[in-house]
Amino acid sequence: MTVDALPRQSERDTAAPGGLGRRQVHAVAACYFVASFAALGLPPYLTAILPGLGDQEGRWAGVLYIVPTMFSALGAPMWGRLADRYGRKRLLLRAQLGLAVSFLLAGAADSLPAFTLALVFQGFLGGTFAATNGYLAAALDGARLSRALTLMQGSARAALVAAPILVGLLSPWIDPHRQYLLMAVLPLTAAVFLSLLPEPGRPEAKATTGAEAEDGSAPAPAPGSATAATPTNTTADEPTSRTPLRVLYGLEFAFVFATIISFPYLIALAEERLPGVSGTTTGVLFALPHLCYLAFAARTHTAFLHRPHTGIALGFGFVALGLAGHAAADSLATFVAVRLLLGAGLTLGLVCLSVLAAEACRGRAPGRLFGSLEFVSKGGAVAAGAVAALVNGRFGATSPVLVGTAAALLAAVAATALSSRSRQRWSRT
């Protein structure tokens, strides 16, 4: 992964008491990658798993694909509030152990109802995204937090690219269904490493003078302190006011919906437009936007740290262009070009949403915030999957990208209006 979480020269390997150093942030990112690996690598093989559980034609694959997402959305707000109350590290360990238990149940299931129940547990007991981000937000703020959130997205993208490949390579020797048992080792290993990390808490002002000078931001008080409810002071390099939560949630939902809606039927669309295309080629086409994120997220963060509304508007615009291009693509070169356009939009959007989320954390309980944000994000993913299935069934494989284009265009207009109102306060003086 080329996504960089923290400045190389300003950040030491150790942190002030209660904070997290560079190595610790990277350790959290590695654990998130490990947890994401099984959760993202095995679902594409549901059509190969379900015949052994009695669903010979794999009719339930589409529904089961979104079951963990749906129950993760339902559980995220509750787990976030519990993290704020009982400790972020404790709830992050709970999420990793919950994944391990659910993978063991899925691998041992011998019927479709038992397997479905295991996927319900995976969603409800997991929730590592919100738990990880809440853990980081309790120790970091400002630019350091948004860099760390950008790194976490990089971990997920890397897992999304690598995991299906490894599962496919193991399939001749280990059935994908039984690979759930093997994958249970990964979150267990992550839990062991996370147990060695400290319970996070933002460093005191005196301890973070150096970080303040490097990041250009004043330290934020620890959640629950007397000043935690009021926004911290900002400098000329920081935004003077935060994006309202309802706007952040709306942007998150729209972005997830517009990008995810093209995923389920991309391979079918490529095979329809490129007869005889190999599975390896379609896999590379699927991975291209995520590889763009891994290559350019750090640079994008630097470029748009102080103007995230502009970046998110551009991101929606690139997503709209990329999806519209999918509808017209009829050659491999064209498919590569439109996938790279989508990758540019994906990178801009995810990075700028991380910047907005980091700023929204100031003066708020991070567990509750990221729990709610995950609820919205997963809701967008479920809506995208449902709409994609509906329009694909009625109008064919091109229709999901056209719906995504329309959604991205509407969101781009709204985000541009936000950008024009916010440009002055988010720019350097």
Side-chain angles (χ1 to χ4, degrees):
M1 259 188 324
T2 62
V3 181
D4 200 2
L6 298 168
R8 292 186 180 277
Q9 295 181 349
S10 62
E11 186 74 14
R12 299 290 188 263
D13 287 339
T14 58
L20 292 176
R22 178 184 173 80
R23 286 184 178 178
Q24 292 168 320
V25 171
H26 283 187
V28 174
C31 290
Y32 183 53
F33 171 81
V34 163
S36 301
F37 201 88
L40 296 174
L42 287 165
Y45 293 87
L46 283 174
T47 51
I49 292 172
L50 294 182
L53 297 173
D55 182 10
Q56 297 299 327
E57 298 180 4
R59 293 178 178 176
W60 287 95
V63 174
L64 294 181
Y65 196 95
I66 64 171
V67 162
T69 302
M70 183 169 58
F71 280 90
S72 178
L74 294 175
M78 180 193 73
W79 294 124
R81 291 186 180 91
L82 290 175
D84 291 329
R85 184 172 182 179
Y86 295 109
R88 284 94 190 188
K89 177 180 174 180
R90 187 176 301 175
L91 269 292
L92 179 54
L93 289 172
R94 186 258 342 139
Q96 297 284 1
L97 294 175
L99 276 183
V101 169
S102 65
F103 291 158
L104 289 172
L105 291 175
D110 58 1
S111 67
L112 186 59
F115 185 74
T116 302
L117 184 61
L119 295 183
V120 170
F121 285 149
Q122 178 186 327
F124 189 76
L125 297 179
T128 53
F129 176 80
T132 300
N133 289 346
Y135 177 87
L136 292 169
L140 308 171
D141 71 343
R144 294 180 66 222
L145 175 57
S146 62
R147 289 188 188 99
L149 298 181
T150 298
L151 181 66
M152 295 308 115
Q153 284 286 358
S155 296
R157 303 297 129 187
L160 192 60
V161 171
I165 297 174
L166 180 60
V167 172
L169 290 173
L170 290 176
S171 293
W173 295 277
I174 307 175
D175 184 85
H177 179 199
R178 302 308 174 188
Q179 286 190 42
Y180 273 101
L181 296 172
L182 179 64
M183 294 296 181
V185 176
L186 298 180
L188 283 174
T189 303
V192 171
F193 282 103
L194 288 169
S195 68
L196 304 176
L197 295 177
E199 179 66 40
R202 288 195 179 95
E204 296 298 327
K206 291 182 180 180
T208 56
T209 303
E212 180 178 345
E214 293 291 343
D215 289 340
S217 60
S225 68
T227 58
T230 59
T232 56
N233 295 330
T234 57
T235 70
D237 288 344
E238 290 283 345
T240 57
S241 61
R242 294 179 297 185
T243 300
L245 284 182
R246 65 181 181 276
V247 174
L248 174 62
Y249 294 158
L251 292 172
E252 178 79 16
F253 182 94
F255 189 79
V256 171
F257 180 89
T259 51
I260 294 295
I261 196 170
S262 68
F263 288 0
Y265 300 100
L266 171 68
I267 292 177
L269 179 63
E271 290 175 346
E272 178 184 297
R273 299 292 178 81
L274 305 172
V277 67
S278 69
T280 301
T281 301
T282 55
V284 171
L285 288 175
F286 183 88
L288 272 178
H290 310 294
L291 294 173
C292 284
Y293 183 93
L294 293 173
F296 298 109
R299 296 180 183 90
T300 302
H301 182 274
T302 300
F304 289 93
L305 175 62
H306 305 290
R307 45 184 182 273
H309 287 107
T310 301
I312 192 69
L314 287 171
F316 276 119
F318 277 114
V319 168
L321 285 173
L323 291 178
H326 281 67
D330 58 0
S331 68
L332 180 59
T334 308
F335 261 104
V336 169
V338 298
R339 294 300 287 170
L340 291 175
L341 274 176
L342 183 62
L346 187 77
T347 303
L348 281 163
L350 290 175
V351 169
C352 292
L353 284 170
S354 293
V355 174
L356 293 175
E359 185 57 31
C361 275
R362 289 186 179 277
R364 292 192 174 103
R368 182 172 182 176
L369 174 71
F370 282 106
S372 298
L373 196 61
E374 182 170 18
F375 175 81
V376 171
S377 177
K378 293 296 192 290
V382 171
V387 172
L390 178 64
V391 298
N392 178 77
R394 295 197 63 180
F395 305 109
T398 304
S399 54
V401 297
L402 293 177
V403 173
T405 300
L409 282 174
L410 289 173
V413 172
T416 300
L418 285 170
S419 176
S420 65
R421 288 201 299 266
S422 306
R423 189 176 292 117
Q424 183 125 19
R425 72 188 181 198
W426 283 89
S427 63
R428 296 189 184 209
T429 58

